[in-house]
Amino acid sequence: MTTLDDPLPGGRPGDVERAGALSGELAGRGVHGIVLAYVDTAGVGRVKTVPTARLASAAAWGVGMSPVFDTFLADDRSVTTDVLGSPDGDLRLYPDLDRLVVLAAQPGWAWAPVDRVTQDGEPHPGCSRTFLRRTVAGAARAHGLAFRAGIEIEWSVGLDSAPAGEFVPATSGPAYGAIRQIELSDCAAELLAACAAQGVDVDQVHPEYAPGQFEISVAALDPVAAADRSVLVRQTIRAVARRHGLRVSFSPAVLARGVGNGGHVHLSAWRDGTNLHSGGSRRYGMTADAEAFAAGVLAHLPALTAVTAPSPASRLRLRPSQWAGVFTAWGLETREAAIRLVRGTAGRRAELANLEVKPVDLAANPYLALGCLIAAGLDGIVSAAVLPEETTGDPARLAPEEASARGVRRLPTSLGEAVAEFRADEVLRAALGPVLADAVTAVRQGEIEGVAGLDDERVAAAYRWVY
Ligand code: GLU
Ligand code: MG
């Protein structure tokens, strides 16, 4: 393990020697190049690659990349803020050697997530991975808290041979059905093998509800590792599918109607090795801090959706009664509330109890999403926020008076409304810092303008193949 949190020009202690040894070992395993991966503000995965022999240089001095990508939109146009989006300047990408893996489904390649650092060696204020790391470190310092997170991944598998731009599902048969598992048998087995080879601990993979839809869940990790893993697993799913003539989309709404692709976040707060969501004296064994944490997330959810469901396509998914959790409500194992309290099976509760946050999709930058969810929960603890009464059943069925009496409200139905909530949310803006907060607002505004006048079908088509 490296000893300093942030990368330094010249290399974190030990990194350069380690990268030198690693590049020899990788070359011996037939690895020719390293994919340096990060996710932009719009939620698009972007990369640079270097030959394996350059790994030590990358660990010492980083790899150049323009900061303009902070304000790139999903369709590759770009917008500007006071300080971002200019063609000037350069950043250095530093691979995190602790997370470097040889890609099982892309022979000849290894992969590592990067931190972005200025040429003068300062953490780049637009670096979402640095933001999440700092948020987690701040929670440890100020509150003695640690977190475990897991991001579920749902995706749609289409035929590569489909007419340009169209989605033709690669499976038939009923939802969650045996037929679908058989149809993609080889591909799914290869995915499991690739995950195992890459050290990714898979909980389960299953055919989902929508046409061609599958889901994978992986073990919970510390938040930065969980976000890295989400990026790696998506890279792996896509690469495996390509080898089978299949095309993958993680878009929240591959089609304008019906159930979409979610990226539900499982999150738990821990102190001194103890899970705060279990063994306490409050409802369902929650501790007072766990209740306040959940209350904080709930209170900030309307604004959070500007980060957790950031695409115009996200709004096509966020519809009632489609398991996307579009109401500010929580409940024990309730799949229509925005927050599902997962208590865990008797015997494993201390280990597994967590909050599942549903209005999150895979257009979200996972580092921004996890950092903002944690910031919201911490605000709940700091302000001793009170968790309201739980909701059972589908909140969509509550009479309007009852919903408003319980504080159950529909999450923003447009990205514009979400951005307005986000702009007014001092807690999230302060957590992100002005550079990232302004990037979020500018990018969302750019996406909104990009789809002005488009109907739902055209919005779905516009984002179908970018996530
Ligand atoms: N596909 C649903 C969503 O968009 C989730 C289904 C499930 O609960 O797994 O969030
Ligand atoms: Mg699912």
Side-chain angles (χ1 to χ4, degrees):
M1 291 292 277
T2 43
T3 50
L4 273 180
D5 272 353
D6 291 322
L8 300 166
R12 291 184 290 195
D15 256 11
V16 179
E17 300 69 20
R18 191 174 160 202
L22 204 51
S23 69
E25 186 200 313
L26 292 169
R29 292 173 65 186
V31 173
H32 304 299
I34 321 286
V35 179
L36 305 176
Y38 74 98
V39 184
D40 71 13
T41 318
V44 175
R46 312 245 180 215
V47 301
K48 275 213 163 174
T49 76
V50 291
T52 303
R54 306 265 327 155
L55 185 60
S57 161
W61 307 112
V63 172
M65 191 164 202
S66 164
V68 78
F69 295 99
D70 286 321
T71 46
F72 251 45
L73 305 181
D75 68 357
D76 299 341
R77 287 176 302 128
S78 68
V79 292
T80 56
T81 69
D82 289 354
V83 293
L84 295 172
S86 142
D88 305 332
D90 200 29
L91 293 171
R92 310 302 296 173
L93 309 181
Y94 278 81
D96 187 335
L97 299 179
D98 292 335
R99 300 279 154 71
L100 187 141
V101 292
V102 175
L103 291 174
Q106 291 180 256
W109 292 99
W111 175 98
V114 298
D115 290 300
R116 295 182 303 146
V117 175
T118 69
Q119 285 180 312
D120 293 321
E122 296 299 323
H124 172 48
C127 177
S128 57
R129 192 169 188 267
T130 303
F131 156 68
L132 177 56
R133 191 171 54 245
R134 293 281 165 92
T135 305
V136 170
R141 246 190 342 266
H143 305 283
L145 290 177
F147 300 92
R148 293 179 68 71
I151 302 174
E152 293 182 0
I153 296 177
E154 292 185 330
W155 73 98
S156 302
V157 191
L159 298 177
D160 227 355
S161 56
E166 284 182 28
F167 172 69
V168 176
T171 59
S172 61
Y176 310 100
I179 294 172
R180 295 188 185 183
Q181 193 277 328
I182 295 163
E183 285 170 330
L184 290 198
S185 180
D186 290 349
C187 182
E190 215 175 281
L191 173 60
L192 288 175
C195 285
Q198 293 171 181
V200 172
D201 205 355
V202 173
D203 280 340
Q204 47 171 290
V205 182
H206 65 268
E208 255 283 349
Y209 186 83
Q213 192 182 36
F214 281 74
E215 173 174 336
I216 189 167
S217 40
V218 297
L221 297 168
D222 82 76
V224 177
D228 290 341
R229 185 140 289 187
S230 174
V231 179
L232 170 65
V233 171
R234 281 181 262 171
Q235 172 109 7
T236 307
I237 290 170
R238 206 185 290 283
V240 169
R242 283 211 75 83
R243 298 167 73 82
H244 291 266
L246 301 170
R247 195 170 189 195
V248 157
S249 173
F250 301 98
S251 171
V254 173
L255 301 172
R257 315 252 151 251
V259 169
N261 289 319
H264 303 176
V265 166
H266 291 264
L267 187 59
S268 53
W270 297 64
R271 186 176 281 123
D272 301 327
T274 301
N275 185 348
L276 301 187
H277 307 269
S278 175
S281 58
R282 302 295 183 89
R283 286 163 281 185
Y284 305 117
M286 281 188 276
T287 61
D289 275 348
E291 278 205 355
F293 188 84
V297 174
L298 204 52
H300 288 282
L301 261 184
L304 277 167
T305 64
V307 176
T308 62
S311 167
S314 301
R315 262 58 216 174
L316 304 176
R317 165 183 172 254
L318 289 179
R319 293 192 174 120
S321 312
Q322 295 191 167
W323 308 309
V326 301
F327 293 94
T328 57
W330 73 279
L332 178 68
E333 301 291 2
T334 301
R335 284 177 173 72
E336 287 296 350
I339 299 182
R340 166 187 170 211
L341 174 63
V342 180
R343 204 178 176 195
T345 310
R348 294 189 71 194
R349 287 188 174 144
E351 182 194 340
L352 296 181
N354 67 83
L355 301 179
E356 181 184 30
V357 186
K358 290 182 175 282
V360 187
D361 63 46
L362 300 171
N365 173 316
Y367 304 95
L368 294 182
L370 286 175
C372 286
L373 284 167
I374 289 169
L378 290 177
D379 182 53
I381 290 180
V382 169
S383 62
V386 175
L387 188 64
E389 214 184 304
E390 74 175 297
T391 296
T392 51
D394 187 347
R397 301 212 174 132
L398 289 175
E401 319 75 65
E402 201 187 342
S404 83
R406 287 159 171 259
V408 173
R409 60 181 269 229
R410 175 91 189 259
L411 289 170
T413 53
S414 72
L415 191 51
E417 202 188 316
V419 171
E421 296 273 3
F422 176 80
R423 277 186 204 275
D425 194 314
E426 292 303 333
V427 169
L428 296 185
R429 291 186 62 86
L432 286 162
V435 173
L436 259 177
D438 287 352
V440 166
T441 318
V443 167
R444 303 299 175 261
Q445 209 53 52
E447 303 288 0
I448 291 167
E449 283 157 23
V451 298
L454 297 189
D455 63 16
D456 289 354
E457 275 67 27
R458 289 173 69 198
V459 170
Y463 291 94
R464 184 172 290 143
W465 302 115
V466 295
Y467 306 115

